[in-house]
Amino acid sequence: MKTARAAWRRLEPLHAMIYFVPEGRRRYRDLGLSGRAGYFTSRSAAFGRASAELVISTFYNFNPGLVRQAVDGAWDATTPQQVLEARYAAAGEALRRAGIHELPALDEVLALTRRAAEAACEHPQGRPLFAAHAALPWPEEPMLQLWHAQTLLREFRGDGHVACLLSEGVGGLESLILHAATGDVPVEFLKKSRAWPDEECSAVPASMSTAQSLNASSPCPIGSGTSRPGR
């Protein structure tokens, strides 16, 4: 488990950067996608014309109102294929800007990461977001193959998190509260990115015994500004 977590911490930024780099925002904007529509459509485009309900279900911990506002009408402006092409192009631009293509160990890291991703592809059951991405073709460029492999591992892990949360009766907002209790991610970032208002956050801890059952070391200050994602 320690090895797996160490690998995740080292490689996760390689995938996650796509949600923050200017290359992504620019390419989505060129397709007519504004605000959060770029994030939701680019991550769900592997499904095809994903509805807001499908995104709410599979992304799990976002305020449904935010998802509907971002997704409704987005597919009138562009197509899933165009969004996927923009996403991979943006990833390539950002990775090249960071010099990933010049790393001496790229081939070795790619071989190991792709091996892990292809092993995960043998177990798509119960992992809808992962399975949708697993059905996409592998890019030809090694650097983008690495990004695709890490994307698969990221969504495999995320779908597994959702399955565990559901089995324990932990909802989307509750999962953010548990995440916030670890202190790994700034509270205000999590609240803002998932668009949960303070009043809804504040209403959860009083009735939530799950955090205690998971041996939370201290009360989660969600009411004064805390939250964290389950994916």
Side-chain angles (χ1 to χ4, degrees):
M1 182 63 72
K2 289 184 178 180
T3 300
R5 179 163 288 274
W8 165 69
R9 286 195 178 277
R10 182 63 62 88
L11 289 173
E12 176 67 7
L14 185 76
H15 162 81
M17 60 84 192
I18 195 60
Y19 305 121
F20 306 100
V21 294
E23 290 87 347
R25 292 192 296 271
R26 174 174 54 80
R27 285 189 172 270
Y28 303 147
R29 186 170 59 248
D30 290 345
L31 294 177
L33 300 172
S34 59
R36 302 297 295 278
Y39 167 73
F40 289 113
T41 58
S42 65
R43 194 174 163 207
S44 66
F47 285 125
R49 293 173 62 92
S51 66
E53 288 70 25
L54 180 56
V55 174
I56 291 167
S57 171
T58 53
F59 286 32
Y60 198 67
N61 57 29
F62 288 85
N63 186 321
L66 170 67
V67 178
R68 292 190 179 96
Q69 182 182 36
V71 174
D72 287 349
W75 297 122
D76 294 332
T78 186
T79 67
Q81 185 59 38
Q82 288 175 317
V83 173
L84 286 171
E85 291 173 357
R87 190 185 202 212
Y88 279 81
E93 291 176 356
L95 292 173
R96 278 187 289 274
R97 176 164 58 84
I100 300 300
H101 61 299
E102 299 175 335
L103 294 178
L106 176 60
D107 290 343
E108 180 181 7
V109 174
L110 170 58
L112 292 171
T113 308
R114 180 161 182 168
R115 179 182 175 186
E118 289 178 337
C121 288
E122 298 177 5
H123 306 280
Q125 296 88 346
R127 288 181 159 90
L129 195 52
F130 162 77
H133 284 85
L136 298 175
W138 282 84
E140 294 184 5
E141 186 178 356
M143 180 183 64
L144 281 178
Q145 288 182 25
L146 178 59
W147 185 80
H148 180 70
Q150 184 58 27
T151 298
L152 293 179
L153 293 175
R154 187 271 175 95
E155 299 300 4
F156 185 91
R157 173 178 57 86
D159 284 342
H161 287 175
V162 171
C164 291
L165 292 166
L166 285 169
S167 70
E168 296 297 325
V170 179
L173 177 53
E174 292 172 330
S175 73
L176 294 184
I177 293 172
L178 292 178
H179 196 164
T182 69
D184 286 347
V185 181
V187 168
E188 288 304 319
F189 169 78
L190 294 170
K191 288 177 63 177
K192 183 177 180 180
S193 66
R194 270 65 181 175
W196 289 103
D198 286 341
E199 55 270 24
E200 291 192 49
C201 294
S202 300
V204 174
S207 61
M208 186 179 178
S209 60
T210 308
Q212 295 177 349
S213 70
L214 294 179
N215 296 318
S217 59
S218 62
C220 174
I222 189 75
S224 59
T226 302
S227 67
R228 164 170 176 170
R231 291 187 65 93

